[in-house]
Amino acid sequence: GPKVLQIPSHQIIDMGQMVTLNCDPVSNHLYFYWYKQILGQQMEFLVNFYNGKVMEKSKLFKDQFSVERPDGSYFTLKIQPTALEDSAVYFCASSLPGGLYEQYFGPGTRLTVL
Amino acid sequence: SQLAEENLWALSVHEGESVTVNCSYKTSITALQWYRQKSGEGPAQLILIRSNEREKRNGRLRATLDTSSQSSSLSITATRCEDTAVYFCATYHTGGLSGKLTFGEGTQVTVIS
């Protein structure tokens, strides 16, 4: 089936540093998402991105977070600066345009902030 | 705010048996999606059931949706060891435009050989 790729699989950084998580979505998909999952807890929506703009974001999407997809390349989540509470697994997903198409998820990037 | 939740955290079944995972939600939805997540992997979509549907099947999987009781179930028949995973329901809420999913906590299903 369609595959979403995420790079890197694991990132360890010091608090206060910047980190960029990369997502390679399914080729014909136009809606992109980031979700956050803290160990042992449910997955939570962060942000949705379409046509170069954020469509919706949750309260977890702090001012230190930003997303972009320059020139159809990777869809990225940047955190600057990072905080200890940003430690989690971040999942990227993509779907066809519209609210009810199946979202395909990547394998996740485990971010550890020390 | 909307909350999707599975009703049991863990289930164990023997290979070949059937298992059912239940999910409830608290606000009006347009659709509900069942996902499976194996250890170290991202969620894999299983079945999407829309609010005007009552039942949907995909091979050994059967999902039901009861909008009056705001609940859904996912049944797996003839279970195999490779069905061992965490099963999530996730909902699209009415009025949402962005495709945001609200996830439940997940139910760990373990199939024992």
Side-chain angles (χ1 to χ4, degrees), chain A residues 31-33 35 37 40-45 48-49 55-58 89 91 95 98-108, chain B residues 3-4 30-31 33 35 37 40-48 50 88 92-93 96-106:
Chain A
Y31 268 39
F32 311 115
Y33 311 81
Y35 291 84
Q37 186 176 39
Q41 298 183 20
Q42 63 203 83
M43 194 165 324
E44 294 189 90
F45 171 83
N48 165 270
F49 188 83
M55 296 278 288
E56 184 176 357
K57 59 185 180 181
S58 73
V89 180
F91 290 96
S95 72
L100 291 185
Y101 287 101
E102 294 157 342
Q103 291 181 28
Y104 290 84
F105 282 77
Chain B
L3 175 67
T30 51
Q33 181 117 41
Y35 283 91
Q37 186 175 23
E41 299 179 7
Q45 59 87 21
L46 299 175
I47 296 181
L48 184 148
R50 297 172 191 267
F88 297 91
Y92 295 96
H93 68 96
L97 300 174
S98 70
K100 165 190 170 183
L101 282 170
T102 299
F103 279 85
E105 292 180 349

Side-chain angles (χ1 to χ4, degrees), chain A residues 1 3 12-13 16 30 32 38 43 52 55 58 60 66-68 70-72 74-75 79 81 84-86 103 106 108:
Chain A
K3 294 277 190 197
I12 301 173
I13 58 170
L30 297 177
F32 311 115
I38 294 173
M43 194 165 324
M55 296 278 288
S58 73
L60 296 178
S66 62
V67 290
E68 64 175 355
D71 302 323
Y74 287 146
F75 174 52
I79 309 174
L84 294 176
E85 60 265 27
D86 296 331
Q103 291 181 28

